[in-house]
Amino acid sequence: MNKILVTGGLGFIGSHTVVELQNEGYEVVIIDDLSNSSEKVLDGITAITGEKPIFEKLDLKDKADVEAFFAKHNDVKGVIHFAASKAVGESVKEPLMYYENNIGSLIYILKELKKLSSAAFIFSSSCTVYGQADELPITENAPVKKAESPYGNTKQIGEEIIQETCKVVPTLKAIALRYFNPVGAHESVEIGELPIGVPQNLVPFITQTAIGLREELSVFGDDYPTPDGTCIRDYIHVVDLAKAHVVALGRLLKGENKTSYETFNLGTGKGSSVLEVVQSFERVSGKKLNYKIVGRREGDIISAYADTNKANNDLGWKTKLSLDDAMRSAWKWEQKVREKE
């Protein structure tokens, strides 16, 4: 049984990926510092899979702790690296914190993987590396533009570090997965997105507004050059996204990768506007959402959605769940979370 380390494995995407890994028979070890997650997520994972993953509370910025972890778990065959700070606005205010957390931890992990006889590495990257793309849908060949934020820059720098390391470490194989906008929750409603504090993402803000936790949803701008004037993004169900990580990992472990470093876009291939997401929520929940159009938000690009052909053809992966599926599961999750409080 292959042992896989999932960093940030109690977070939103990480926890769903742990479930899919365990469903495929992998032994999973989670590292999480609990800065933006809760140890209770372990209970949700265990309820779904019937198996409790190994968990180590650890700060990846601590080089000695990372070294000690790999000395203890020297039989790790692969790493899926989610652990990172991820709020664009916060990164603008706290750039050094983002560089230390997102780049420092990556370097310490790669240094340990160099010591192993072979290692597969999956990097949690982002479509933010493209900025406002010149052409839509966005392919993997689209130019990587100057980042709009320190967060986006850490993803660009992270990709460069991994690519350059793979060139000189023949035992290391890596895939960077560039996500578009993950949404939704597991159908069991045992795990889902649970932001600490005010949500930075659209969907949890929608569900928190609908349940009365937030007074209203602000829609930032209705004067963009799009059909309804609101920004367009590619919203991918988190379970589809999680399954892509398992497929990508299998590609590396089986030696099916074409080069030592590859990139793939993960999205649905369809763009949805902010108002279309609101309408989807109203449709599946039967609730009218209290929202208000306000001014544009700094740093927001107009439109971004994926060309998924490379992931479809080379990985053999396709999305199966719709925006309505995602909104329905996100709403059920929100209701369950508030019932417990």
Side-chain angles (χ1 to χ4, degrees), residues 115-156:
K115 301 172 187 174
L116 301 180
S117 58
S118 70
F121 188 77
I122 306 289
F123 181 57
S124 165
S125 192
S126 165
C127 65
T128 57
V129 301
Y130 300 116
Q132 179 60 68
D134 300 323
E135 292 180 25
L136 294 169
I138 301 168
T139 73
E140 287 81 358
N141 296 324
V144 170
K145 297 192 171 180
K146 180 170 169 54
E148 300 279 337
S149 68
Y151 162 72
N153 202 24
T154 64
K155 292 302 180 188
Q156 291 183 7

Side-chain angles (χ1 to χ4, degrees), residues 263-284:
T263 58
F264 292 96
N265 286 340
L266 296 183
T268 65
K270 180 184 183 298
S272 300
S273 73
V274 175
L275 289 182
E276 284 175 329
V277 176
V278 168
Q279 288 156 9
S280 170
F281 174 79
E282 291 182 337
R283 189 163 53 243
V284 300

Side-chain angles (χ1 to χ4, degrees), residues 246-301:
V246 182
V247 175
L249 179 69
R251 178 179 175 84
L252 295 178
L253 293 174
K254 293 173 199 160
E256 294 169 351
N257 48 303
K258 292 174 183 170
T259 56
S260 63
Y261 173 79
E262 298 178 305
T263 58
F264 292 96
N265 286 340
L266 296 183
T268 65
K270 180 184 183 298
S272 300
S273 73
V274 175
L275 289 182
E276 284 175 329
V277 176
V278 168
Q279 288 156 9
S280 170
F281 174 79
E282 291 182 337
R283 189 163 53 243
V284 300
S285 69
K287 290 181 76 73
K288 281 301 281 179
L289 194 70
N290 183 29
Y291 69 89
K292 183 171 81 175
I293 307 290
V294 298
R296 290 186 182 193
R297 183 172 56 179
E298 190 183 352
D300 273 345
I301 57 173

